[in-house]
Amino acid sequence: MSEPVVEIKNLSYTYDQQKVLDGINLTVNQGEFLGIVGPNGSGKSTLVKCILGFLKPQQGSISVFGKPVGKQDGSRIGYVSQKANSFNSGFPATVKEVVASGLYGKLGLFRRMTKKHMEQVERAIAQVGLTSYKDHNIGKLSGGQQQRAFIARALVADPDLLVLDEPTVGIDAKTTEQFYGLLRRLHQEEGLTLIMVTHDIGAVSSVVDQVACLNRHLFYHGDPAGFEQRQQEILTLAYGHDLQVVSHYH
Amino acid sequence: MIEVIMQYEWMQNAFYAGMIIGFISPLVGVYLVVRRMSLIADALSHVTLSGVAAGMLLQKELPLFYAVNPLYVGMVFSVTGSLFMEQIRRLYKTFEEIAIPIILSGGIGLGVVLISAADGFNVDIAGYLFGNILAVGRDELWLMAAIGVIVVLFVCIFYKEMFALSFDEDHAVLAGIPRKWINFLFIVMVALVIAASIRVVGILLVSALMTIPVAASLQFTNSFRQTLIWSVVFSQLAVFSGLFAAYYLDWASGGTIVLVSILILLIVLFVKKVMRMMKLGNLL
């Protein structure tokens, strides 16, 4: 039995008297790739923000690596947010500088980057295939390249858990496919535990090994095969109407 | 030419003061610009004005304060103002910029009241409003040097934390960077730089050296490090050529320095445009 990385017990979150998460129980084990799906405003991002400690739930508990949120070493968690909200595209920084900033928390105050750290940065950049762009300004790259740079920033500190919040929003289909390929490799070859929030229900089944379908309540948690089998039923429950799902074939 | 100028102590003071301010202003300015906080410098400079006015009033009314340079009181006000600013920014999370007009008008309001309460001043307050680098004394120069050392140390020590917080605050916080107290230290640095640079460019122009050289370097730099270096280069260039021009043309030093820095910005924009046109020409 693999040990749980994230354990959520009876979690509820209320925004301005409106309950967006209600009685959520969810466990993510080591080495799992969990896809969280659900309609707009279903509380997906809220759940992720609670896991990361940006929001404090009013009820229930979350532990990450066996400790309450906020008490663990932050560098064990890599985070990739929705590209559009995360930075100002005019910011003067190269890919290398941005990726290096992923190490700063782990490095701690008063300590400088050494040659070994810079090699780590180069490795992370190579891992996402951006070596030839390492000295380019991050704002001048394409959306997909920027997102890969942010993955590299999350990977450089060698995290044990990678959390992605709708990482493919605003990225074209071909780049999205490549992006999923990268995630699959990280999961299968490096054994990284991943949590990804997405709109893309069709794609989820092809890359993840656990699905959680959310709309205030948790409607489904299990493997993608079970999700596909009962898809119409679950989605009708969660989305409140019939839904056409576009499948991805690989 | 330099030898002729440097034989006077006041001119020496002016050069050293210019060199210090020209170095530290863009250093904190880069962070203000990329974090979209440029106007904070303006707000705090007005608070410093009220502090300087309070200092002058104390000098006039209380013999105990006779020997205290009003600039020190200005500095205390500026740091206090920066703390209020952080509080207001926290209160109005979604309208952070509202802190700027509140602090700015509060500062100028208090300044005007204090000046009127003192029934005008013997000392010319215009020197603080518009700056007069040629009137910098040795004691003030030492104060600037001390502030210079503190600011340079801050930037060296917290370079990586300040970069991470400026680029992506959420990510930096998640990684365990102590946002609250680094932001607090930074705003105190801004307040100190403002207090130090008032004698050089004046309250009304204090944000110029923090933002214009940065604006010029942002036009062509790719990396953060380059932006930092070029901002300092442009700022030094503006201070020295501005000072020379002011001396020979008998213009106001603060205003001339600011105008030169704008001239540098225009030249950078022009060169960039010409280079782009040449590139297009080569393609055709």
Side-chain angles (χ1 to χ4, degrees):
Chain A
M1 180 74 191
S2 49
E3 73 182 88
V5 172
V6 179
E7 244 183 325
I8 301 170
K9 283 184 187 147
N10 196 26
L11 177 83
S12 295
Y13 191 88
T14 312
Y15 268 122
D16 291 335
Q17 295 173 354
Q18 204 179 1
K19 230 177 197 174
V20 287
L21 293 172
D22 195 357
I24 307 287
N25 288 293
L26 189 68
T27 303
V28 184
N29 290 312
Q30 199 179 357
E32 274 182 5
F33 187 166
L34 172 74
I36 303 177
V37 297
N40 277 333
S42 60
K44 303 184 298 273
S45 288
T46 306
L47 181 64
V48 161
K49 285 188 177 126
C50 288
I51 295 173
L52 295 169
F54 294 152
L55 296 175
K56 247 195 161 85
Q58 289 88 353
Q59 204 189 321
S61 70
I62 306 179
S63 67
V64 181
F65 302 119
K67 288 182 188 164
V69 167
K71 294 272 189 283
Q72 57 281 114
D73 173 8
S75 64
R76 289 187 73 184
I77 310 170
Y79 171 51
V80 180
S81 58
Q82 285 184 28
K83 184 210 104 201
N85 306 329
S86 66
F87 85 112
N88 160 10
S89 63
F91 198 99
T94 59
V95 171
K96 209 153 108 183
E97 285 178 317
V98 171
V99 174
S101 75
L103 275 176
Y104 294 166
K106 193 175 188 175
L107 209 58
L109 292 168
F110 313 119
R111 284 182 56 198
R112 298 186 145 267
M113 294 280 284
T114 60
K115 212 174 154 195
K116 204 184 106 222
H117 293 124
M118 283 325 287
E119 282 166 11
Q120 248 171 294
V121 171
E122 301 269 350
R123 248 198 323 274
I125 294 173
Q127 215 174 351
V128 297
L130 281 180
T131 301
S132 49
Y133 293 94
K134 66 180 180 189
D135 293 318
H136 285 225
N137 182 291
I138 183 114
K140 289 180 187 141
L141 300 185
S142 72
Q145 289 168 331
Q146 283 173 359
Q147 204 54 295
R148 268 148 64 196
F150 292 135
I151 296 252
R153 178 181 64 172
L155 292 177
V156 72
D158 204 12
D160 298 312
L161 168 68
L162 185 60
V163 181
L164 306 114
D165 190 0
E166 307 221 24
T168 56
V169 165
I171 297 176
D172 64 74
K174 193 175 156 238
T175 315
T176 301
E177 283 303 319
Q178 287 172 350
F179 187 72
Y180 285 149
L182 170 67
L183 294 184
R184 208 179 288 134
R185 210 173 65 227
L186 289 170
H187 174 228
Q188 287 166 359
E189 290 171 20
E190 321 248 332
L192 196 66
T193 310
L194 289 113
I195 298 177
M196 178 172 73
V197 167
T198 181
H199 262 96
D200 197 352
I201 297 174
V204 152
S205 336
S206 70
V207 284
V208 304
D209 55 19
Q210 289 284 306
V211 178
C213 184
L214 193 75
N215 192 4
R216 197 150 69 98
H217 302 280
L218 188 62
F219 285 89
Y220 177 84
H221 179 215
D223 59 13
F227 180 69
E228 263 173 35
Q229 231 170 37
R230 294 173 46 212
Q231 191 160 292
Q232 272 316 330
E233 176 201 340
I234 298 161
L235 292 180
T236 312
L237 272 173
Y239 284 71
H241 54 84
D242 284 334
L243 202 83
Q244 199 70 38
V245 176
V246 183
S247 295
H248 290 233
Y249 294 100
H250 302 282
Chain B
M1 187 168 73
I2 290 176
E3 285 149 23
V4 177
I5 292 175
M6 292 304 265
Q7 62 182 313
Y8 306 108
E9 191 185 296
W10 52 271
M11 206 58 200
Q12 282 173 16
N13 290 351
F15 265 92
Y16 294 138
M19 203 163 81
I20 297 168
I21 300 311
F23 194 80
I24 58 176
S25 294
L27 224 47
V28 295
V30 167
Y31 295 105
L32 286 175
V33 171
V34 298
R35 301 180 92 175
R36 303 197 168 153
M37 290 160 66
S38 312
L39 284 170
I40 280 180
D42 271 312
L44 288 182
S45 71
H46 287 76
V47 177
T48 314
L49 170 73
S50 65
V52 167
M56 287 179 169
L57 185 62
L58 287 172
Q59 240 179 7
K60 196 174 165 186
E61 302 293 332
L62 299 172
L64 192 69
F65 281 86
Y66 187 71
V68 177
N69 191 325
L71 203 55
Y72 287 102
V73 186
M75 213 159 78
V76 173
F77 270 54
S78 169
V79 173
T80 316
S82 69
L83 303 185
F84 274 116
M85 182 96 80
E86 276 299 284
Q87 283 301 327
I88 300 172
R89 272 155 60 86
R90 221 167 287 156
L91 266 177
Y92 294 91
K93 266 200 167 137
T94 43
F95 309 101
E96 281 186 359
E97 70 278 9
I98 208 166
I100 291 165
I102 293 174
I103 295 289
L104 191 144
S105 39
I108 199 88
L110 186 61
V112 169
V113 167
L114 287 170
I115 292 168
S116 70
D119 209 11
F121 291 112
N122 297 331
V123 189
D124 190 9
I125 201 154
Y128 287 99
L129 279 176
F130 304 111
N132 187 3
I133 195 171
L134 304 177
V136 172
R138 267 288 141 107
D139 60 328
E140 282 169 333
L141 190 62
W142 282 115
L143 175 69
M144 286 179 195
I147 291 177
V149 170
I150 294 171
V151 171
V152 170
L153 275 178
F154 172 83
V155 173
C156 288
I157 293 172
F158 297 109
Y159 179 83
K160 39 185 224 310
E161 284 76 15
M162 281 300 294
F163 175 86
L165 281 170
S166 307
F167 185 75
D168 185 345
E169 211 168 85
D170 274 353
H171 191 274
V173 171
L174 180 69
I177 288 169
R179 163 176 51 185
K180 250 191 198 157
W181 72 267
I182 290 185
N183 276 352
F184 163 73
L185 280 180
F186 173 63
I187 201 120
V188 172
M189 291 303 127
V190 175
L192 288 178
V193 173
I194 288 167
S197 49
I198 274 175
R199 286 301 246 170
V200 178
V201 280
I203 283 157
L204 298 175
L205 302 172
V206 100
S207 65
L209 279 182
M210 293 192 181
T211 50
I212 302 168
V214 182
S217 54
L218 277 177
Q219 283 298 322
F220 64 91
T221 51
N222 272 334
S223 74
F224 192 73
R225 196 172 284 267
Q226 278 175 350
T227 310
L228 212 61
I229 293 168
W230 277 103
S231 302
V232 171
V233 169
F234 286 149
S235 166
Q236 292 286 349
L237 196 65
V239 167
F240 284 114
S241 37
L243 203 51
F244 268 114
Y247 180 80
Y248 283 107
L249 301 169
D250 204 14
W251 287 1
S253 55
T256 313
I257 291 170
V258 173
L259 287 180
V260 172
S261 64
I262 288 183
L263 185 69
I264 293 171
L265 172 65
L266 290 175
I267 292 171
V268 168
L269 288 171
F270 179 73
V271 170
K272 197 182 167 189
K273 196 160 187 182
V274 168
M275 281 172 75
R276 191 178 289 163
M277 274 161 66
M278 277 165 60
K279 224 180 189 173
L280 267 177
N282 284 343
L283 284 176
L284 287 174

